[in-house]
Amino acid sequence: MRAKFQTECGAFEIRLALEEAPVTAGYFRDIIQAGAFNGASFFRIVGPDNASLRTDNPIEVVQGGLRETDPQPVAAIEHEPTSATGLRHKKWAASTARYDPGETYGSFFICMRDEPELDFGGARHPDGLGFAVFGEVVSGFETVEAIFGRRETEEFLKNPIDIESCVLVEEE
């Protein structure tokens, strides 16, 4: 199953890894089915020229979806680490944002390069549990690159990039 995103920069698709990461991929499937990403945005873009959080472990990602203050259509889920799924934060991986384990909030990020420090045992998150990969971009790479190219001087965008729609499509 794929999630097809239409943004103001174009379209891209993420394959949901429902077999490898059933908890996290199922969580995002349910958020998409609820229509919660329609009208959401990409609101954070981190690159080498604007990183301000955890600069000791820099990353390159685009982050979007719901913010922690938005209504959450799906309850938070148990943390599903990369050590359990076998998935890794490689370039184009889609992963869930979180605070502590079990504190998800409908936000996701896409890796713009390999990010091993985001995996289980990596140093990016203070607890060492890493983040939960739930899929990967499989088409529309140029759109994701265009989104990344819209980063600003600060990580959190003054001009968020609209997600016009997000729908589920069956694998071809």
Side-chain angles (χ1 to χ4, degrees):
M1 180 171 289
R2 295 179 179 195
K4 183 175 184 177
F5 289 81
Q6 181 65 48
T7 75
E8 64 181 79
C9 293
F12 68 92
E13 291 186 5
I14 293 175
R15 181 188 69 82
L16 300 179
L18 289 162
E19 288 185 24
E20 303 94 326
V23 173
T24 310
Y27 172 75
F28 280 96
R29 178 200 57 217
D30 294 349
I31 289 172
I32 295 163
Q33 284 177 326
F37 288 155
N38 299 331
S41 67
F42 282 94
F43 55 85
R44 180 177 178 230
I45 303 174
V46 186
D49 49 354
N50 73 347
S52 60
L53 302 174
R54 298 187 181 135
T55 55
D56 53 331
N57 288 296
I59 57 173
E60 291 185 20
V61 301
V62 298
Q63 182 177 350
L66 302 177
R67 296 181 187 229
E68 62 272 17
T69 56
D70 289 337
Q72 301 297 313
V74 177
I77 55 169
E78 175 183 322
H79 182 57
E80 190 174 39
T82 57
S83 59
T85 64
L87 300 173
R88 297 290 178 259
H89 287 90
K90 300 283 188 186
K91 184 173 183 176
W92 306 120
S95 188
T96 185
R98 71 171 181 92
Y99 291 109
D100 288 328
E103 290 185 359
T104 53
Y105 56 95
S107 180
F108 68 95
F109 60 89
I110 298 169
C111 295
M112 300 306 295
R113 64 179 190 188
D114 291 355
E115 297 288 357
E117 293 298 328
L118 297 174
D119 291 335
F120 181 86
R124 178 67 183 188
H125 202 287
D127 63 20
L129 298 176
F131 296 82
V133 176
F134 67 88
E136 65 181 330
V137 175
V138 292
S139 70
F141 303 104
E142 66 285 346
T143 296
V144 181
E145 291 281 3
I147 292 169
F148 185 68
R150 298 251 317 255
R151 66 190 173 280
E152 299 172 354
T153 56
E154 301 292 328
E155 289 184 24
F156 290 92
L157 303 179
K158 291 180 181 161
N159 299 296
I161 299 162
D162 291 339
I163 297 173
E164 297 163 359
S165 66
C166 180
V167 297
L168 295 171
V169 295
E170 293 299 322
E171 294 277 357
E172 296 176 1

